[in-house]
Amino acid sequence: MRTDMSDVMTTQIKVTPLQHGIAGLVFAIDTPRAEEITLFASSMLRLSGWALHNKKSVDIVLRHRHGENTFRCNRVRTDVSKKRDMDADALCGFLIPITFSGGFDVGFIVENKVAWGARVDVFPAAKILLGKSGHLFLDNDNNNSVAQFIGQTLISDECLSLWQAYFSALNQCVDNRQAKRVFMLAPAKELVLPHYYPHPKADITPVEQFLVHFQREGIMYPKDVLSDAGDATYSKQDTHWTDYGAGIAVDHMLCKLGLSLEEPFPFDFRIVKDAGDLGVKLSVPRDQTLMTADFSPALQHLAFDNRLKSRGLIQVFQHPEAPLAHSVVVFGDSFAYNMIPYLANAFAKVVYVLSGASIDDEIVAHEQPDLVICEITTRFLVQAPESNYSVSHDCKRKILTLSALERANYLHSLQASDQKHAFYIQKTIAELDVPALPSLGG
């Protein structure tokens, strides 16, 4: 059964006692506690507890960013009156629905003045999930990774239709150019190393849906080879596969294509310390020991780089002496980052577009590649890639986030790049109000 998790929010609660300095004032806050809670959009936080001043009930004041509200005690608490003193007010409890957003202070009116007794902070929960043996996993993300793993979030029928349209467009794109294509589904860490994950996996998740629904599309899903290779394939403190794991995925793909190499791991590996994209989110960031590849031999073949971070990145690698004379275009997400050096070392030309597997048909038409690789990680399956995609739109969005001076310096350095790559310079600035460059090769 599919449950839509878009109306669910996980919230972190922190309750801090304040020094009120009022003799005879005693109180307790029963809920919320310092904890992580999950609320539906239709539900609300509730403040409950009790308060007495010299055995008499007091009014409660909540101070928040929208103002202050006063409430009377509205619950009989015989447990409190018996524990404190038999003649204490039993009507000393309160249950107050919180109808506003954000944190608030809790105060009590004593002798016509407010004594502030506690601070309740409410903020989105950290996007990390603590697993076993020091493994960290993604949590509270926009794609509901946990809900996907336990089968509560599945791919909608509408999204499956969009995926079908995507594959139709991809197949037409490569068929028109007589190219081969690969669709690589990069498994999330919890799918490769489920024994470290704190939740049991459901029988049906978006991955099973996708693999069954598109079984005729030849999806490459290297989960088993990564699992067989063991813990070194994924970092304890990062969402992505390691440099070693990326090498296994690339080797698996090339073997399936009949393009296996004599040396699938051509790089030296060394031990470094790194926090990872999850480790840095800890309240006290910590480093981990990690085996990383020295990709410098492959990076020497970098011929063009538009230097944009994340989506919109375009890189061109040229390696005429590569063991494989093919040209390759890669449309991928961040899991492709450490696949690219392996590909750049193996193929004569590699063009990498960080697009989340969305296809820029203009680039394929320009390159006329032998092979098109589309890569996406499993947690993004619940949203199909864009149709009629142009990387120029992502480039514009990124460039416009720069200050005026940064933008001017960036455009100056970009347009001073080797004009052999004028096509990719123009792709980067196509949607900006800057002069076009002459159409050249590259």
Side-chain angles (χ1 to χ4, degrees), residues 302-319:
L302 181 62
F304 173 79
D305 184 355
N306 73 356
R307 304 187 315 281
L308 293 179
K309 303 298 183 184
S310 189
R311 284 182 67 111
L313 174 68
I314 305 172
Q315 293 179 325
V316 179
F317 296 83
Q318 292 180 313
H319 182 17

Side-chain angles (χ1 to χ4, degrees), residues 61-348:
V61 180
L62 301 186
R63 180 174 61 189
H64 48 88
R65 63 181 180 177
H66 306 292
E68 292 185 4
N69 301 101
T70 303
F71 304 87
R72 292 185 177 278
C73 288
N74 55 10
R75 291 292 185 273
V76 173
R77 294 292 298 266
T78 55
D79 58 321
V80 175
S81 60
K82 288 179 181 179
K83 185 175 181 180
R84 305 300 303 184
D85 197 313
M86 286 300 292
D87 62 352
D89 279 352
L91 188 62
C92 62
F94 52 84
L95 177 63
I96 303 169
I98 304 302
T99 58
F100 48 83
S101 60
F104 54 93
D105 296 317
V106 182
F108 307 97
I109 298 179
V110 178
E111 297 177 354
N112 297 319
K113 294 182 179 180
V114 180
W116 298 107
R119 170 69 188 173
V120 179
D121 289 300
V122 182
F123 46 88
K127 295 189 174 185
I128 53 174
L129 179 66
L130 301 179
K132 300 174 184 177
S133 301
H135 280 267
L136 304 179
F137 296 90
L138 192 62
D139 195 8
N140 302 315
D141 58 305
N142 293 334
N143 298 290
N144 299 312
S145 295
V146 174
Q148 288 191 41
F149 190 84
I150 63 178
Q152 289 185 345
T153 291
L154 298 175
I155 307 174
S156 67
D157 291 341
E158 179 184 3
C159 186
L160 287 171
S161 297
L162 293 174
W163 271 111
Q164 187 63 65
Y166 168 84
F167 279 112
S168 296
L170 171 60
N171 293 333
Q172 182 178 356
C173 176
V174 296
D175 289 348
N176 288 346
R177 281 93 190 183
Q178 298 182 331
K180 291 184 178 180
R181 63 95 168 157
V182 168
F183 187 91
M184 167 75 79
L185 183 58
K189 177 167 60 173
E190 57 268 27
L191 296 166
V192 175
L193 305 173
H195 46 288
Y196 294 125
Y197 202 62
H199 299 290
K201 180 181 173 299
D203 293 333
I204 303 297
T205 74
V207 175
E208 284 73 31
Q209 270 187 294
F210 189 82
L211 293 176
V212 170
H213 203 87
F214 300 108
Q215 57 186 309
R216 295 183 179 179
E217 299 297 343
I219 309 298
M220 284 196 185
Y221 182 51
K223 179 182 77 71
D224 291 340
V225 294
L226 290 163
S227 296
D228 292 343
D231 291 4
T233 55
Y234 283 78
S235 159
K236 281 189 174 184
Q237 296 183 188
D238 203 285
T239 54
H240 301 87
W241 49 32
T242 60
D243 294 344
Y244 175 65
I248 288 176
V250 171
D251 183 53
H252 173 77
M253 177 182 67
L254 294 181
C255 288
K256 291 285 187 181
L257 291 169
L259 299 172
S260 56
L261 301 170
E262 286 188 19
E263 179 49 71
F265 292 92
F267 307 110
D268 293 331
F269 281 78
R270 61 182 184 272
I271 302 298
V272 301
K273 287 188 175 182
D274 184 72
D277 64 356
L278 295 174
V280 296
K281 298 179 186 295
L282 294 170
S283 56
V284 180
R286 68 188 187 207
D287 288 334
Q288 61 173 336
T289 300
L290 190 65
M291 185 171 66
T292 63
D294 177 8
F295 287 140
S296 58
L299 297 179
Q300 292 177 4
H301 305 303
L302 181 62
F304 173 79
D305 184 355
N306 73 356
R307 304 187 315 281
L308 293 179
K309 303 298 183 184
S310 189
R311 284 182 67 111
L313 174 68
I314 305 172
Q315 293 179 325
V316 179
F317 296 83
Q318 292 180 313
H319 182 17
E321 295 80 28
L324 300 172
H326 307 66
S327 61
V328 181
V329 173
V330 181
F331 298 108
D333 58 25
S334 56
F335 270 71
Y337 273 134
N338 49 1
M339 292 176 63
I340 294 301
Y342 289 97
L343 297 171
N345 195 72
F347 291 100

